[in-house]
Amino acid sequence: MFIGTGRCASDGVCAGPIVELKETIQTPIFDRVFDESKELSLFDSALQRADKELEELYEKTLNNLGQESADIIDMQRMMLQDPDISQAMIDKIKQGVFAKDAIIEVGKQQAAEFAALDDPYMQARSADIKDITLRLYRLASGQDKVVLIKPCVLVSNDLIPSQTLDLDKSMILGILLRQGTMNSHASILARTMDIPLLINANVPNEDLNDRICVIDAHNNKFYLDADDSTIAKVVTSSSYLQEKEHLASFKGKESITKHGRKIKVCANIGSPDDVEGALLNDAEGIGLFRSEFLFLGKTTYPSADEQFAAYASVVRAMNGKEVIIRTLDIGADKKVDYFELPQEQNPALGFRALRICLKREDLFKTQIKAIYRAAAFGNVLMMFPMVTSLWEVQKAKKICKECEKELLEANIDFKVPKIGIMIETPAAAICSDKLAKEVDFFSVGTNDLTQYTLAIDRQNENLDDFYDEHHEAILELLALIAKNAHKNGIWAGICGQLAADLSLTDTFIQMGYDELSVPANTVLKLREKIINSKAIYKDENQ
Ligand code: PEP
Ligand code: MG
């Protein structure tokens, strides 16, 4: 038995026979005489069949996995229909290249061009180009789809999105990839489908088909040629499965304490890709959508439409459940060159988040309008980070009003979301009574609240021992924030990491917090904790 390692990209445990997906592109074999018109018609028919396949795959994906996964297929269909790509292939054929080889040559070149772009979003499109290239190649060379006829562990170098979606999910027990990244489509889809996946796995390059493999993604391990006792030991005694099974029983349950207090349990996300995890774990909403992901790692500002599409995809996927979009939180550790921000001595105390937005109204307005447009599709709330003073909130709200007017004048569909603020500076916490009169809700960012209250740089590893989120000053501020929210008739939540600290759940309930927003994989654990909690909230304002 060979015990290998990999990196867990989707948690879980499974055992079964291997089916290896070999690279489908073979070395071109010039086995026939070149006939231009034949090759052109072969290409044309491959193009049409590929389009039809993608149309069917779109419907299947939409029904099985929802809009966001289906959108991947839709985008590939658009790429397939892009005349620039198909024309380049046709031109190659006209130069005397066989259709299947023309497809590979152009596809590889296009994929490399996308991969070389600075923008990570565009780079990721390289995988989509490879995907449609392989599909066209397969059709132009008369190959059939991979059909899985038995439940198996898939092994491959890497997977492209439509390969993953084309495969029959009920037949895939787990996946081992020699390559892969945590945020590739394959990893995202594996998480969506709840299929254990190890990436960067050291799978031997030998004939693997039908050999029994156990994947223990929870422990970043796999066992090749596993015997019955290993299977029994790893699979049946996996702490992951036991915990998962136990936690799954909390799906669909209300997060209500023993004394009948309802606490909303939501998930934090950083990108639309994370929604699947939130839904899988039965989050009651998105309590924090860190919108700055759209701005990071790019060379220029995302357009209004690009932002709108990202927000709307989350809102649609959440299907009426709450989605709290936080406006841009750039600055401090989140640096973006094209913002051309000044060098600062103390960036964490510098020009960041709402401060930038209030000085760069054009940028702020573009984001607000994109959020307002997305709000028309569901239950959207918007919140501002890094508030310190009342005037900032008042000014931000004034800008929101202007956006509303401009959208109306432009005859664009939108909905005005509820507006809240993050409480993550001691100033905001102390002034929370006044701030509460201006907004619809509070969400406490305990990561920054701790940093600013304790005067400890949250990025500085050397100060870990001093970064005490349980510090009495933090707990006192937390109590004050909830009290002032309720005094003014608004709700309060916590979306910083402390919300996931189960040793404080009772304390938060006693303080009166209405919502806790945590990483998706903590949602069910937190719900269990709340359901078993005997903590009592007494409203001190009454
Ligand atoms: C926080 O500060 O607690 C928070 C949720 O925001 P971020 O971690 O993104 O700064
Ligand atoms: Mg913060």
mmCIF file with all atom_site columns, all heavy atoms in Angstrom, residues 265-287:
data_model
loop_
_atom_site.group_PDB
_atom_site.id
_atom_site.type_symbol
_atom_site.label_atom_id
_atom_site.label_alt_id
_atom_site.label_comp_id
_atom_site.label_asym_id
_atom_site.label_entity_id
_atom_site.label_seq_id
_atom_site.pdbx_PDB_ins_code
_atom_site.Cartn_x
_atom_site.Cartn_y
_atom_site.Cartn_z
_atom_site.occupancy
_atom_site.B_iso_or_equiv
_atom_site.pdbx_formal_charge
_atom_site.auth_seq_id
_atom_site.auth_comp_id
_atom_site.auth_asym_id
_atom_site.auth_atom_id
_atom_site.pdbx_PDB_model_num
ATOM 1   N N   . VAL A 1 265 ? -27.771 32.864 12.119 1.00 0.00 ? 265 VAL A N   1
ATOM 2   C CA  . VAL A 1 265 ? -26.405 32.375 11.862 1.00 0.00 ? 265 VAL A CA  1
ATOM 3   C C   . VAL A 1 265 ? -26.111 32.489 10.368 1.00 0.00 ? 265 VAL A C   1
ATOM 4   O O   . VAL A 1 265 ? -26.728 31.811 9.538  1.00 0.00 ? 265 VAL A O   1
ATOM 5   C CB  . VAL A 1 265 ? -26.234 30.914 12.338 1.00 0.00 ? 265 VAL A CB  1
ATOM 6   C CG1 . VAL A 1 265 ? -24.819 30.435 12.042 1.00 0.00 ? 265 VAL A CG1 1
ATOM 7   C CG2 . VAL A 1 265 ? -26.508 30.808 13.829 1.00 0.00 ? 265 VAL A CG2 1
ATOM 8   N N   . CYS A 1 266 ? -25.183 33.379 10.038 1.00 0.00 ? 266 CYS A N   1
ATOM 9   C CA  . CYS A 1 266 ? -24.869 33.646 8.629  1.00 0.00 ? 266 CYS A CA  1
ATOM 10  C C   . CYS A 1 266 ? -23.432 33.267 8.320  1.00 0.00 ? 266 CYS A C   1
ATOM 11  O O   . CYS A 1 266 ? -22.649 32.938 9.214  1.00 0.00 ? 266 CYS A O   1
ATOM 12  C CB  . CYS A 1 266 ? -25.060 35.132 8.331  1.00 0.00 ? 266 CYS A CB  1
ATOM 13  S SG  . CYS A 1 266 ? -26.781 35.627 8.474  1.00 0.00 ? 266 CYS A SG  1
ATOM 14  N N   . ALA A 1 267 ? -23.106 33.338 7.023  1.00 0.00 ? 267 ALA A N   1
ATOM 15  C CA  . ALA A 1 267 ? -21.736 33.007 6.600  1.00 0.00 ? 267 ALA A CA  1
ATOM 16  C C   . ALA A 1 267 ? -21.048 34.237 6.021  1.00 0.00 ? 267 ALA A C   1
ATOM 17  O O   . ALA A 1 267 ? -21.698 35.096 5.414  1.00 0.00 ? 267 ALA A O   1
ATOM 18  C CB  . ALA A 1 267 ? -21.771 31.902 5.556  1.00 0.00 ? 267 ALA A CB  1
ATOM 19  N N   . ASN A 1 268 ? -19.734 34.290 6.200  1.00 0.00 ? 268 ASN A N   1
ATOM 20  C CA  . ASN A 1 268 ? -18.921 35.345 5.586  1.00 0.00 ? 268 ASN A CA  1
ATOM 21  C C   . ASN A 1 268 ? -18.386 34.827 4.261  1.00 0.00 ? 268 ASN A C   1
ATOM 22  O O   . ASN A 1 268 ? -17.942 33.678 4.182  1.00 0.00 ? 268 ASN A O   1
ATOM 23  C CB  . ASN A 1 268 ? -17.715 35.688 6.461  1.00 0.00 ? 268 ASN A CB  1
ATOM 24  C CG  . ASN A 1 268 ? -18.112 36.294 7.788  1.00 0.00 ? 268 ASN A CG  1
ATOM 25  O OD1 . ASN A 1 268 ? -19.257 36.720 7.970  1.00 0.00 ? 268 ASN A OD1 1
ATOM 26  N ND2 . ASN A 1 268 ? -17.184 36.335 8.728  1.00 0.00 ? 268 ASN A ND2 1
ATOM 27  N N   . ILE A 1 269 ? -18.398 35.675 3.244  1.00 0.00 ? 269 ILE A N   1
ATOM 28  C CA  . ILE A 1 269 ? -17.808 35.251 1.968  1.00 0.00 ? 269 ILE A CA  1
ATOM 29  C C   . ILE A 1 269 ? -16.855 36.326 1.453  1.00 0.00 ? 269 ILE A C   1
ATOM 30  O O   . ILE A 1 269 ? -16.958 37.498 1.825  1.00 0.00 ? 269 ILE A O   1
ATOM 31  C CB  . ILE A 1 269 ? -18.878 34.944 0.889  1.00 0.00 ? 269 ILE A CB  1
ATOM 32  C CG1 . ILE A 1 269 ? -19.735 36.186 0.569  1.00 0.00 ? 269 ILE A CG1 1
ATOM 33  C CG2 . ILE A 1 269 ? -19.752 33.784 1.296  1.00 0.00 ? 269 ILE A CG2 1
ATOM 34  C CD1 . ILE A 1 269 ? -20.550 36.036 -0.697 1.00 0.00 ? 269 ILE A CD1 1
ATOM 35  N N   . GLY A 1 270 ? -15.931 35.899 0.581  1.00 0.00 ? 270 GLY A N   1
ATOM 36  C CA  . GLY A 1 270 ? -14.992 36.844 -0.020 1.00 0.00 ? 270 GLY A CA  1
ATOM 37  C C   . GLY A 1 270 ? -15.225 36.961 -1.507 1.00 0.00 ? 270 GLY A C   1
ATOM 38  O O   . GLY A 1 270 ? -14.698 37.861 -2.152 1.00 0.00 ? 270 GLY A O   1
ATOM 39  N N   . SER A 1 271 ? -16.002 36.039 -2.065 1.00 0.00 ? 271 SER A N   1
ATOM 40  C CA  . SER A 1 271 ? -16.271 36.112 -3.505 1.00 0.00 ? 271 SER A CA  1
ATOM 41  C C   . SER A 1 271 ? -17.534 35.322 -3.800 1.00 0.00 ? 271 SER A C   1
ATOM 42  O O   . SER A 1 271 ? -17.967 34.507 -2.972 1.00 0.00 ? 271 SER A O   1
ATOM 43  C CB  . SER A 1 271 ? -15.104 35.511 -4.287 1.00 0.00 ? 271 SER A CB  1
ATOM 44  O OG  . SER A 1 271 ? -15.280 34.119 -4.403 1.00 0.00 ? 271 SER A OG  1
ATOM 45  N N   . PRO A 1 272 ? -18.111 35.532 -4.987 1.00 0.00 ? 272 PRO A N   1
ATOM 46  C CA  . PRO A 1 272 ? -19.324 34.773 -5.326 1.00 0.00 ? 272 PRO A CA  1
ATOM 47  C C   . PRO A 1 272 ? -19.087 33.262 -5.248 1.00 0.00 ? 272 PRO A C   1
ATOM 48  O O   . PRO A 1 272 ? -20.006 32.508 -4.960 1.00 0.00 ? 272 PRO A O   1
ATOM 49  C CB  . PRO A 1 272 ? -19.618 35.210 -6.762 1.00 0.00 ? 272 PRO A CB  1
ATOM 50  C CG  . PRO A 1 272 ? -19.034 36.577 -6.882 1.00 0.00 ? 272 PRO A CG  1
ATOM 51  C CD  . PRO A 1 272 ? -17.795 36.539 -6.034 1.00 0.00 ? 272 PRO A CD  1
ATOM 52  N N   . ASP A 1 273 ? -17.848 32.840 -5.466 1.00 0.00 ? 273 ASP A N   1
ATOM 53  C CA  . ASP A 1 273 ? -17.567 31.398 -5.415 1.00 0.00 ? 273 ASP A CA  1
ATOM 54  C C   . ASP A 1 273 ? -17.842 30.795 -4.045 1.00 0.00 ? 273 ASP A C   1
ATOM 55  O O   . ASP A 1 273 ? -18.044 29.587 -3.918 1.00 0.00 ? 273 ASP A O   1
ATOM 56  C CB  . ASP A 1 273 ? -16.096 31.126 -5.751 1.00 0.00 ? 273 ASP A CB  1
ATOM 57  C CG  . ASP A 1 273 ? -15.782 31.486 -7.183 1.00 0.00 ? 273 ASP A CG  1
ATOM 58  O OD1 . ASP A 1 273 ? -16.716 31.540 -7.999 1.00 0.00 ? 273 ASP A OD1 1
ATOM 59  O OD2 . ASP A 1 273 ? -14.598 31.724 -7.466 1.00 0.00 ? 273 ASP A OD2 1
ATOM 60  N N   . ASP A 1 274 ? -17.803 31.613 -3.021 1.00 0.00 ? 274 ASP A N   1
ATOM 61  C CA  . ASP A 1 274 ? -17.967 31.083 -1.667 1.00 0.00 ? 274 ASP A CA  1
ATOM 62  C C   . ASP A 1 274 ? -19.430 30.839 -1.282 1.00 0.00 ? 274 ASP A C   1
ATOM 63  O O   . ASP A 1 274 ? -19.704 30.271 -0.225 1.00 0.00 ? 274 ASP A O   1
ATOM 64  C CB  . ASP A 1 274 ? -17.366 32.058 -0.636 1.00 0.00 ? 274 ASP A CB  1
ATOM 65  C CG  . ASP A 1 274 ? -15.893 32.284 -0.872 1.00 0.00 ? 274 ASP A CG  1
ATOM 66  O OD1 . ASP A 1 274 ? -15.255 31.417 -1.478 1.00 0.00 ? 274 ASP A OD1 1
ATOM 67  O OD2 . ASP A 1 274 ? -15.379 33.345 -0.461 1.00 0.00 ? 274 ASP A OD2 1
ATOM 68  N N   . VAL A 1 275 ? -20.343 31.277 -2.139 1.00 0.00 ? 275 VAL A N   1
ATOM 69  C CA  . VAL A 1 275 ? -21.761 31.141 -1.779 1.00 0.00 ? 275 VAL A CA  1
ATOM 70  C C   . VAL A 1 275 ? -22.160 29.679 -1.632 1.00 0.00 ? 275 VAL A C   1
ATOM 71  O O   . VAL A 1 275 ? -22.947 29.315 -0.769 1.00 0.00 ? 275 VAL A O   1
ATOM 72  C CB  . VAL A 1 275 ? -22.653 31.829 -2.835 1.00 0.00 ? 275 VAL A CB  1
ATOM 73  C CG1 . VAL A 1 275 ? -24.115 31.512 -2.602 1.00 0.00 ? 275 VAL A CG1 1
ATOM 74  C CG2 . VAL A 1 275 ? -22.441 33.318 -2.789 1.00 0.00 ? 275 VAL A CG2 1
ATOM 75  N N   . GLU A 1 276 ? -21.566 28.835 -2.490 1.00 0.00 ? 276 GLU A N   1
ATOM 76  C CA  . GLU A 1 276 ? -21.928 27.417 -2.448 1.00 0.00 ? 276 GLU A CA  1
ATOM 77  C C   . GLU A 1 276 ? -21.706 26.840 -1.063 1.00 0.00 ? 276 GLU A C   1
ATOM 78  O O   . GLU A 1 276 ? -22.544 26.112 -0.544 1.00 0.00 ? 276 GLU A O   1
ATOM 79  C CB  . GLU A 1 276 ? -21.096 26.633 -3.460 1.00 0.00 ? 276 GLU A CB  1
ATOM 80  C CG  . GLU A 1 276 ? -21.547 26.861 -4.868 1.00 0.00 ? 276 GLU A CG  1
ATOM 81  C CD  . GLU A 1 276 ? -20.418 27.342 -5.757 1.00 0.00 ? 276 GLU A CD  1
ATOM 82  O OE1 . GLU A 1 276 ? -19.356 27.699 -5.221 1.00 0.00 ? 276 GLU A OE1 1
ATOM 83  O OE2 . GLU A 1 276 ? -20.600 27.386 -6.964 1.00 0.00 ? 276 GLU A OE2 1
ATOM 84  N N   . GLY A 1 277 ? -20.577 27.177 -0.472 1.00 0.00 ? 277 GLY A N   1
ATOM 85  C CA  . GLY A 1 277 ? -20.267 26.672 0.863  1.00 0.00 ? 277 GLY A CA  1
ATOM 86  C C   . GLY A 1 277 ? -21.283 27.166 1.873  1.00 0.00 ? 277 GLY A C   1
ATOM 87  O O   . GLY A 1 277 ? -21.716 26.425 2.765  1.00 0.00 ? 277 GLY A O   1
ATOM 88  N N   . ALA A 1 278 ? -21.686 28.423 1.705  1.00 0.00 ? 278 ALA A N   1
ATOM 89  C CA  . ALA A 1 278 ? -22.673 29.002 2.623  1.00 0.00 ? 278 ALA A CA  1
ATOM 90  C C   . ALA A 1 278 ? -23.990 28.235 2.520  1.00 0.00 ? 278 ALA A C   1
ATOM 91  O O   . ALA A 1 278 ? -24.612 27.884 3.533  1.00 0.00 ? 278 ALA A O   1
ATOM 92  C CB  . ALA A 1 278 ? -22.880 30.472 2.297  1.00 0.00 ? 278 ALA A CB  1
ATOM 93  N N   . LEU A 1 279 ? -24.392 27.945 1.284  1.00 0.00 ? 279 LEU A N   1
ATOM 94  C CA  . LEU A 1 279 ? -25.659 27.235 1.088  1.00 0.00 ? 279 LEU A CA  1
ATOM 95  C C   . LEU A 1 279 ? -25.564 25.787 1.566  1.00 0.00 ? 279 LEU A C   1
ATOM 96  O O   . LEU A 1 279 ? -26.482 25.281 2.211  1.00 0.00 ? 279 LEU A O   1
ATOM 97  C CB  . LEU A 1 279 ? -26.062 27.272 -0.393 1.00 0.00 ? 279 LEU A CB  1
ATOM 98  C CG  . LEU A 1 279 ? -26.485 28.651 -0.906 1.00 0.00 ? 279 LEU A CG  1
ATOM 99  C CD1 . LEU A 1 279 ? -26.648 28.637 -2.413 1.00 0.00 ? 279 LEU A CD1 1
ATOM 100 C CD2 . LEU A 1 279 ? -27.778 29.115 -0.239 1.00 0.00 ? 279 LEU A CD2 1
ATOM 101 N N   . LEU A 1 280 ? -24.431 25.173 1.249  1.00 0.00 ? 280 LEU A N   1
ATOM 102 C CA  . LEU A 1 280 ? -24.237 23.767 1.670  1.00 0.00 ? 280 LEU A CA  1
ATOM 103 C C   . LEU A 1 280 ? -24.337 23.619 3.178  1.00 0.00 ? 280 LEU A C   1
ATOM 104 O O   . LEU A 1 280 ? -24.820 22.618 3.687  1.00 0.00 ? 280 LEU A O   1
ATOM 105 C CB  . LEU A 1 280 ? -22.851 23.306 1.257  1.00 0.00 ? 280 LEU A CB  1
ATOM 106 C CG  . LEU A 1 280 ? -22.734 22.534 -0.037 1.00 0.00 ? 280 LEU A CG  1
ATOM 107 C CD1 . LEU A 1 280 ? -21.271 22.266 -0.341 1.00 0.00 ? 280 LEU A CD1 1
ATOM 108 C CD2 . LEU A 1 280 ? -23.495 21.229 0.069  1.00 0.00 ? 280 LEU A CD2 1
ATOM 109 N N   . ASN A 1 281 ? -23.855 24.641 3.871  1.00 0.00 ? 281 ASN A N   1
ATOM 110 C CA  . ASN A 1 281 ? -23.872 24.586 5.333  1.00 0.00 ? 281 ASN A CA  1
ATOM 111 C C   . ASN A 1 281 ? -25.098 25.253 5.935  1.00 0.00 ? 281 ASN A C   1
ATOM 112 O O   . ASN A 1 281 ? -25.142 25.514 7.122  1.00 0.00 ? 281 ASN A O   1
ATOM 113 C CB  . ASN A 1 281 ? -22.582 25.198 5.885  1.00 0.00 ? 281 ASN A CB  1
ATOM 114 C CG  . ASN A 1 281 ? -21.403 24.284 5.638  1.00 0.00 ? 281 ASN A CG  1
ATOM 115 O OD1 . ASN A 1 281 ? -21.253 23.272 6.304  1.00 0.00 ? 281 ASN A OD1 1
ATOM 116 N ND2 . ASN A 1 281 ? -20.588 24.603 4.647  1.00 0.00 ? 281 ASN A ND2 1
ATOM 117 N N   . ASP A 1 282 ? -26.064 25.513 5.053  1.00 0.00 ? 282 ASP A N   1
ATOM 118 C CA  . ASP A 1 282 ? -27.361 26.027 5.494  1.00 0.00 ? 282 ASP A CA  1
ATOM 119 C C   . ASP A 1 282 ? -27.256 27.355 6.247  1.00 0.00 ? 282 ASP A C   1
ATOM 120 O O   . ASP A 1 282 ? -27.943 27.566 7.258  1.00 0.00 ? 282 ASP A O   1
ATOM 121 C CB  . ASP A 1 282 ? -28.069 24.970 6.366  1.00 0.00 ? 282 ASP A CB  1
ATOM 122 C CG  . ASP A 1 282 ? -29.544 25.281 6.542  1.00 0.00 ? 282 ASP A CG  1
ATOM 123 O OD1 . ASP A 1 282 ? -30.133 25.891 5.635  1.00 0.00 ? 282 ASP A OD1 1
ATOM 124 O OD2 . ASP A 1 282 ? -30.107 24.933 7.600  1.00 0.00 ? 282 ASP A OD2 1
ATOM 125 N N   . ALA A 1 283 ? -26.388 28.237 5.763  1.00 0.00 ? 283 ALA A N   1
ATOM 126 C CA  . ALA A 1 283 ? -26.302 29.568 6.371  1.00 0.00 ? 283 ALA A CA  1
ATOM 127 C C   . ALA A 1 283 ? -27.619 30.292 6.135  1.00 0.00 ? 283 ALA A C   1
ATOM 128 O O   . ALA A 1 283 ? -28.254 30.128 5.092  1.00 0.00 ? 283 ALA A O   1
ATOM 129 C CB  . ALA A 1 283 ? -25.152 30.354 5.748  1.00 0.00 ? 283 ALA A CB  1
ATOM 130 N N   . GLU A 1 284 ? -28.006 31.102 7.112  1.00 0.00 ? 284 GLU A N   1
ATOM 131 C CA  . GLU A 1 284 ? -29.292 31.803 6.998  1.00 0.00 ? 284 GLU A CA  1
ATOM 132 C C   . GLU A 1 284 ? -29.153 33.081 6.192  1.00 0.00 ? 284 GLU A C   1
ATOM 133 O O   . GLU A 1 284 ? -30.120 33.806 5.995  1.00 0.00 ? 284 GLU A O   1
ATOM 134 C CB  . GLU A 1 284 ? -29.841 32.088 8.401  1.00 0.00 ? 284 GLU A CB  1
ATOM 135 C CG  . GLU A 1 284 ? -30.221 30.800 9.118  1.00 0.00 ? 284 GLU A CG  1
ATOM 136 C CD  . GLU A 1 284 ? -30.360 30.971 10.624 1.00 0.00 ? 284 GLU A CD  1
ATOM 137 O OE1 . GLU A 1 284 ? -31.106 31.856 11.054 1.00 0.00 ? 284 GLU A OE1 1
ATOM 138 O OE2 . GLU A 1 284 ? -29.710 30.207 11.362 1.00 0.00 ? 284 GLU A OE2 1
ATOM 139 N N   . GLY A 1 285 ? -27.967 33.365 5.749  1.00 0.00 ? 285 GLY A N   1
ATOM 140 C CA  . GLY A 1 285 ? -27.719 34.550 4.937  1.00 0.00 ? 285 GLY A CA  1
ATOM 141 C C   . GLY A 1 285 ? -26.228 34.760 4.815  1.00 0.00 ? 285 GLY A C   1
ATOM 142 O O   . GLY A 1 285 ? -25.432 33.974 5.345  1.00 0.00 ? 285 GLY A O   1
ATOM 143 N N   . ILE A 1 286 ? -25.852 35.815 4.094  1.00 0.00 ? 286 ILE A N   1
ATOM 144 C CA  . ILE A 1 286 ? -24.441 36.215 4.030  1.00 0.00 ? 286 ILE A CA  1
ATOM 145 C C   . ILE A 1 286 ? -24.321 37.438 4.935  1.00 0.00 ? 286 ILE A C   1
ATOM 146 O O   . ILE A 1 286 ? -24.881 38.500 4.638  1.00 0.00 ? 286 ILE A O   1
ATOM 147 C CB  . ILE A 1 286 ? -24.032 36.580 2.577  1.00 0.00 ? 286 ILE A CB  1
ATOM 148 C CG1 . ILE A 1 286 ? -24.252 35.397 1.621  1.00 0.00 ? 286 ILE A CG1 1
ATOM 149 C CG2 . ILE A 1 286 ? -22.584 37.071 2.534  1.00 0.00 ? 286 ILE A CG2 1
ATOM 150 C CD1 . ILE A 1 286 ? -23.453 34.151 1.939  1.00 0.00 ? 286 ILE A CD1 1
ATOM 151 N N   . GLY A 1 287 ? -23.615 37.261 6.047  1.00 0.00 ? 287 GLY A N   1
ATOM 152 C CA  . GLY A 1 287 ? -23.516 38.351 7.021  1.00 0.00 ? 287 GLY A CA  1
ATOM 153 C C   . GLY A 1 287 ? -22.411 39.329 6.691  1.00 0.00 ? 287 GLY A C   1
ATOM 154 O O   . GLY A 1 287 ? -22.373 40.441 7.225  1.00 0.00 ? 287 GLY A O   1
#
